[in-house]
Each structure stands twice: as structure tokens, then as C-alpha cells.
Amino acid sequence: MTTIDSSHIPPAPDELPALRRRTTVVLVASQILGGLGVATGIALAAVLAKEVSGTEALSGLAPTATVAGTAILSMPLAALMTRRGRRAGLVLAYVIGALGAGIVVLAAAIGSFPLLLAGMAGFGAASSANLQARFAAADLAEPQHRARAISNVVWATTIGAVLGPNIAAPAGRSIRALGIPEASGPFLWAAGVFVIAAVLVAVLLRPDPLLTARALEPEAEGSPQSRSLRAGLAAVAASPRARLALVTVAVSHTAMVSIMSMTPVDLGHHGADIELIGLVISGHIAGMYAFSPVMGRLSDRFGSLAVISLGISLLALAALLAGTAGPNHTQTAIGLFVLGLGWSAGLVSGSALLTDSVPQPARAAAQGLSDLTMNAAAGIGGALAGLIVAQASYGWLNLVAAALLLPLAALALLTPRRARPAELAAAGPASAGAAAEGAASARTRSDRSVLAEDVPAAKDAPGAGE
């Protein structure tokens, strides 16, 4: 049984709004720092890998190692959060990320490609922290505003993530005197940023949001077995909507990582310099994060399934634009921006749908399973991306990524738009209040949709039923 210390005594109802705001502020600040560190390093990961390995065919393995590290660490970090709260898991993730970034710099200095991949895997822990923070934002959120809470924290990454690729060049120049590849400079800067983020979370994320949420619902605490990976698997398997949520997040992330990771290499083939590559990646990251509040509000207003469909459409359009751009850098930049929008729609709506579709005791385990799945799938996609580009072309890579969306689209069409009674019953009495509130919100949205469709139809108005 998880121990709840004195700092996690249930707050009074009138204290909850202030607690939500304070928690959000801390998570936003950590996301800005985490986004800055991750984006600064990842912008030149493929370029550094090509330089250290001496071959383009292996260049995709650097971002792949990052994604693999994020996937491998997702469940241990989720398990730690389950026992000790969000703060302990986030701090450990940022510390591992800082150590990984330091190893990348060492690997570049001695020219060791295996050590570089090991460092990139550790670097991926910081990405895991950034991803898990979105669920920390949902811990104390009202059920009808979960997507908005998630999207606000995702949005915070915009500031650091957009700045990151643009300071990659100055970071590289700052280490010229050390006699090591300039592309490793961003990782040295990232290590320092991650340490600051870890200190911020350790000191200020109090009380812990996950442990506080459990203190508010002590009857939902459950046994340790109810919070295991097996329980998370069972909860997802029991809910068609949870399965759709998991597949949405995994496919959206895989398509995004596969295309994004090889775009700098393709731009280099067409004469782009490091500053232009940084601008394109910055635009892509802006698409990923800057419009996430819009995706959250759309999910709360129209339902997660509608935004999932929007995400699929945006990702398909992005693959078309980027895959046919060739030497047209402007079209590539637009394609990467749309790719970011599609990822944002899939991540926000999928994360909110997953949180709403599983019982509270198994929620953290299911969320860890989601991050494990999305990053494992993206790791495979990133590894294959370099091979596809080396053996075929960047255009073929985009075509393959677009093909991944077809099964997701079919699953979205077959998934019920409302949770089944059996799914709500599986949540148990501990989640009854939240389930009822969420169901009421869903009914309200449904009623609005019916009115929006039926009233014009009754008047034979043009466009009725749209």
C-alpha cells in the first residue's frame, strides 16, 4: 500500500483550485526547461550520429536510441510514481537525462558510436519526464477539463522546444576550444538544463499531485496488484476506448518521430545549412506544442474521438507535403509544421481518452504502458527510417508513415463514442463520482450535438446534419 505522508492530507474543497494552479505553474516551468534541453540536443542527433559513425545509414539510430531509452524507462518511472508520487519519478528522469547527455559529449570526444547510443538512451529519460508531466497535470483536474489540463502542460514545452533548435548552433560553437564535434555542444548545454529542472521539481512540486489525488479518494487506493503493469494491461484490454487511445498515441508518435528524425538529413541533401535546419525543426516543434490548448479545448468540447480523426487527417496531409517537397524548403517546413499539429491532436486527445477510460487505481500503470508502447513503436520506426531513406528515399519514408494511419482510422471508426456500462462498472465505486461527472459532461456534449443537428434539419436549413 502506498504511504501518504502528512503533506498529502486531503485539501479542503475550497483549496483545490489554488492547488491546481500551483501544480500547473510548477509543471509548466519544468516543461519549459525540459523542452529546451530535449529540443536543443535532438535537433542535431542524427547529424552527430552520422559524424561519429561515418555513415548515413546509421544516422537514424541516434534519435531511435533516445526513443528507445524513453520507452525502456517509462514503466520503471511509472512504477516509481505509483509508489512515491509524480515528484520522485520526474526528478529521477531529469537526472538520468542529464547523465545521458554527458555521456553523449564523452562519446563524441572519443569517437565511440556504441557509447553515443548509450548516452542517447539515457538522454531519452528527459523526454519521458516531459511526457509523464502531462499525466501529472490530469491528476487533480476535473474530469470534464482533463484534456485542457493536459494540453496546457504540453503547451508549456513550446517555449523551450522552439528555442532549443535555434540555440543548437551557438551551443556547438561554444565548445570549439575543446576540440570535439560541434554537434555535441547542445548536449552539454542540455545536461545543465536538466539538472535545473530536477531541482525545480524536487523543491516546488509539493504536495505531490498523484498522492494528493489518492488522498482525496482513499477508497480508490486499491492494492499494489491493482497498480501493476498487469492491471494496466487488463484495464486497457477491457475498454475499446482505452485501446483506441493507446493505439492513437503510439501511431501518432511513430509517424512523427520517423519523419522528423530524418528531415534534417534530407534538408542537408538539398543544401540547407544548420541554421535553416534549426528553423524548420523549430516550426515543427511549434506545431507540436503551441496549439495543444486548442486541441485540449476541442477534445473537451466535441469529444476525444473527433480530435483523433482530426489528428489522422493532419498527419496524412503532413506526409504528403513533406514527402513531395524535394528541394522546396518552404514546403518541407509547412509539412513539418502540420506534422506537429497532427501529433498534438493525437497525443492530447489520446491521453485524455486513456485517462477517462480506465479505473483510478490502474490509471498510472495504464499511462506508463501508453508511454512504453508509443516510444517502443516510435523506436522501431526511427530505426527503420534511416534505412528507408538510405535504401529508397525520404519520399518513400513519408509514404510508409502515411500507411500506418490506415489501421488507426479503421479502429477509430469502429470504436463506440460513449463508454459502455460495463466499462463504467469496471471503474468501481471509488471512481463513481468522476465517472458520473465525466458521463454528464459527455451527455451535455452529445445533447448539444443533437440540437445542433436536429434543429436546422427541422427547419430544412442548408447544411443540416453536417
Side-chain angles (χ1 to χ4, degrees):
M1 188 76 70
T2 300
T3 300
I4 299 177
D5 61 37
S6 59
S7 66
H8 300 112
I9 297 173
D14 59 348
E15 296 175 340
L16 274 175
L19 178 57
R20 290 188 185 107
R21 288 193 296 271
R22 187 168 72 249
T23 299
T24 299
V25 168
V26 176
L27 291 172
V28 163
S30 68
Q31 285 292 89
I32 292 173
L33 292 170
L36 176 64
V38 170
T40 301
I42 207 66
L44 297 180
V47 175
L48 181 61
K50 179 182 177 181
E51 184 173 349
V52 173
S53 68
T55 173
E56 184 178 291
L58 298 179
S59 61
L61 290 182
T64 297
T66 302
V67 175
T70 305
I72 292 170
L73 291 167
S74 293
M75 285 311 300
L77 289 172
L80 177 62
M81 291 180 189
T82 297
R83 296 192 304 271
R84 302 283 300 279
R86 300 289 186 189
R87 184 172 65 252
L90 293 175
V91 169
L92 179 60
Y94 282 127
V95 169
I96 295 174
L99 292 174
I103 292 173
V104 169
V105 176
L106 175 62
I110 66 176
S112 173
F113 187 65
L115 186 61
L116 174 71
L117 296 182
M120 292 300 301
F123 182 81
S127 293
S128 185
N130 287 351
L131 290 170
Q132 288 285 338
R134 75 191 192 277
F135 292 126
D139 288 333
L140 296 175
E142 304 99 320
Q144 71 272 23
H145 293 149
R146 273 204 188 103
R148 183 180 305 179
I150 290 170
S151 67
N152 287 340
V153 172
V154 173
W155 169 87
T157 312
T158 308
I159 300 173
V162 171
L163 290 176
N166 289 292
I167 67 173
R173 290 192 291 268
S174 71
I175 64 167
R176 281 177 178 171
L178 301 178
I180 59 179
E182 290 189 19
S184 65
F187 291 93
L188 185 61
W189 286 30
V193 172
F194 293 155
V195 170
I196 296 173
V199 172
L200 175 72
V201 171
V203 174
L204 298 180
L205 193 62
R206 298 172 183 273
D208 187 279
L210 178 59
L211 300 185
T212 301
R214 288 179 181 166
L216 289 168
E217 294 185 84
E219 71 278 9
E221 178 70 12
S223 66
Q225 290 75 23
S226 72
R227 301 190 299 270
S228 66
L229 173 60
R230 181 176 297 180
L233 280 167
V236 172
S239 168
R241 290 159 60 84
R243 293 197 297 270
L244 171 63
L246 187 146
V247 174
T248 296
V249 173
V251 171
S252 299
H253 196 57
T254 301
M256 185 276 293
V257 168
S258 300
I259 296 173
M260 182 273 293
S261 64
M262 296 309 299
T263 298
V265 175
D266 183 68
L267 287 170
H269 285 164
H270 295 291
D273 58 19
I274 190 171
E275 280 78 13
L276 178 57
I277 292 173
L279 287 173
V280 171
I281 297 301
S282 290
H284 165 67
I285 294 173
M288 290 174 64
Y289 300 115
F291 295 89
S292 57
V294 176
M295 303 303 176
R297 282 157 178 74
L298 289 175
S299 293
D300 286 337
R301 172 66 180 85
F302 298 105
S304 294
L305 268 69
V307 181
I308 287 173
S309 298
L310 173 63
I312 294 171
S313 301
L314 290 171
L315 290 169
L317 176 60
L320 174 63
L321 290 171
T324 60
N328 188 335
H329 298 326
T330 300
Q331 183 174 330
T332 300
I334 294 173
L336 265 287
F337 176 75
V338 176
L339 181 71
L341 288 178
W343 177 87
S344 180
L347 183 79
V348 170
S349 60
S351 298
L353 183 62
L354 178 68
T355 302
D356 287 338
S357 301
V358 297
Q360 202 278 347
R363 195 166 286 163
Q367 291 164 344
L369 174 65
S370 172
D371 282 356
L372 169 64
T373 303
M374 69 182 278
N375 286 292
I380 296 172
L384 294 176
L387 295 176
I388 293 172
V389 171
Q391 298 298 320
S393 69
Y394 179 70
W396 273 100
L397 171 63
N398 281 270
L399 181 61
V400 172
L404 295 176
L405 302 172
L406 296 177
L408 173 59
L411 182 62
L413 289 173
L414 296 174
T415 299
R417 293 191 170 273
R418 297 184 185 179
R420 299 177 305 183
E423 294 177 58
L424 296 177
S431 303
E437 190 172 357
S441 176
R443 285 195 298 271
T444 300
R445 290 194 300 268
S446 177
D447 291 343
R448 288 172 181 165
S449 298
V450 169
L451 288 173
E453 292 177 355
D454 290 350
V455 172
K459 297 178 180 180
D460 295 323
E466 291 181 353

